[in-house]
Amino acid sequence: MTFQLADAEQALTTARNHINLRWYPRFHLAPQAGWMNDPNGLVWFDGWYHAFYQHHPYSTQWGPMHWGHARSRDLMHWEHLPVALAPEGPEDKDGCFSGSAVVNGDELALIYTGHKFHGDPTDDDNLYQVQCLATSRDGIHFTRHGKVLDTPPGMHHFRDPKVWREGDSWYMVVGSREDDTGQVRLYRSADLHHWDDAGVLGEASKEMGFMWECPDFFTLQEKQVLIISPQGIAARGYDNRNLFQSGYIVGQWQPGEAFTQEHVFAELDHGHDFYAPQTFTAPDGRRILLAWMNSWESVMPEQQDGWAGMLTLPRELNLTADHRLQMKPVKEVENLRQTWQRWAVTSLKNQQQCVMENAEATEVLLQWDTAASDAEQYGIALSDGLRLYVDNQSQRLVLERHYPQSGLCGQRSVPLPAASVLSLRLFFDRSSIEVFVNDGEACLTSRIFPQHRQLSLFAWSGSAHITECGAWDLA
């Protein structure tokens, strides 16, 4: 272990004994201490799921990026491993930025962005981002091989490589910025060490952002899916309400040909906190996604507690016949279930009814009969800080949080599904909620910071009817 990696581990050992656990997650992956952002290097290797992540072990603020590392047998119970990468070479002296992992024979290979400045770090003209390689036989200790792909001439923002195998070749997509236009650039290699330029895979139109971060590219249901996190998209009505977005484009591609877009960019998740999603293939063939359950410039109240940032639940992806990407929790989450509490509520009229006193690590199942419900608003509330409700006048499902003490107030929403039954699956952790609508038709993910955790059902200005409601305590 290098001195920088040893120093990082020592800092974490000291800091993790002093974090406040009031908002620290019970069943989501978060750093032991310090800062976390993008998930990196999601992969199955040697009997384990591995999740790496952008990490600053020395403080709860973003800083020179390291790669944190955890592994799991079941995607639910994570074991923290030593920090995998630290910014300690000429290629990455100012940060080991985001990237990916692939299995190459008996080796685990990390491909990541080396971040460095040649001069004044406040001037983008001095920024250089190159792609680097590190390998491991045991999946824990890594040998660095330095730069394997240089910055294109005249380009400064060139980061977040995602690598996959296609036939006899390796391919890599990299997010980039050409002047003020977001791009995804494509490269090809026979050995992970030497890369040839294969052109521009995708490029932003005028309204689609100045930088495309964290690209991912994969095949699902015989279509190709390009996931991007664009910066610089303006809000439009109910869409693109976060400062930075994450979404996908569906089309067709094969090696040597252009990517043909068949579906417009669509957001993956409609909550307040979802960014930099990345996917990998599980041993059984499922395409699984994790994302950072925050975003740039978000308020993060947990920083005062000695840690910052967490990842979403792992989600299985499915592509519908009309090119919509659906997400639902992986089946492994059901292994966390303990006691089932059925709530004895079938209808509500101009009232609020408490159904649970302490929703700290809880999965809620809730079905509303929308055809038979005429209340102007009906839904579920977590004390006085969070409401998830149907707005019958706008015909939308609204996620509303109200934490003025943290500066976190506002709404996100999706259209009501056309079906007469609204099926909701909610996951409450200490400082998060993830909402899955009608088995993945829509998702809303947000950070929450409750002082109290009482769950209530309500209906105002009319009545609402429930066909199923209850909750699982989660281990």
Side-chain angles (χ1 to χ4, degrees), residues 441-456:
E441 189 165 332
C443 302
L444 300 101
T445 299
S446 294
R447 296 295 303 276
I448 58 176
F449 297 92
Q451 302 297 323
H452 307 285
R453 303 177 185 275
Q454 185 182 78
L455 276 180
S456 301

Side-chain angles (χ1 to χ4, degrees), residues 164 173 201 215-228 247-253 259 268 279 287 289 317-320 323-325:
W164 75 98
V173 286
L201 185 76
D216 196 352
F217 194 61
F218 54 89
T219 298
L220 196 62
Q221 273 86 55
E222 300 183 349
K223 294 289 184 180
Q224 281 68 51
V225 180
L226 174 63
I227 288 180
I228 50 175
Y248 65 96
I249 299 167
V250 177
Q252 289 188 324
W253 173 85
F259 174 56
L268 270 165
T279 74
R287 177 62 60 168
L289 176 147
L317 299 184
N318 177 63
L319 190 65
T320 66
H323 299 169
R324 289 181 298 110
L325 199 58

Side-chain angles (χ1 to χ4, degrees), residues 28 273 291-294 310-313 432 434 445-447:
H28 289 81
D273 297 292
W292 180 31
M293 208 189 301
N294 285 97
M310 57 191 284
L311 301 187
T312 64
L313 278 175
S432 66
E434 291 171 89
T445 299
S446 294
R447 296 295 303 276

Side-chain angles (χ1 to χ4, degrees), residues 349-366:
K349 185 174 183 179
N350 301 326
Q351 67 184 111
Q352 180 166 310
Q353 182 171 334
C354 177
V355 289
M356 193 172 188
E357 290 293 340
N358 185 31
E360 183 179 86
T362 307
E363 176 188 356
V364 172
L365 303 180
L366 184 58

Side-chain angles (χ1 to χ4, degrees), residues 7-23:
D7 287 348
E9 283 302 307
Q10 182 58 52
L12 288 171
T13 298
T14 301
R16 69 188 178 196
N17 294 323
H18 301 287
I19 67 170
N20 186 334
L21 295 176
R22 58 179 172 166
W23 291 322

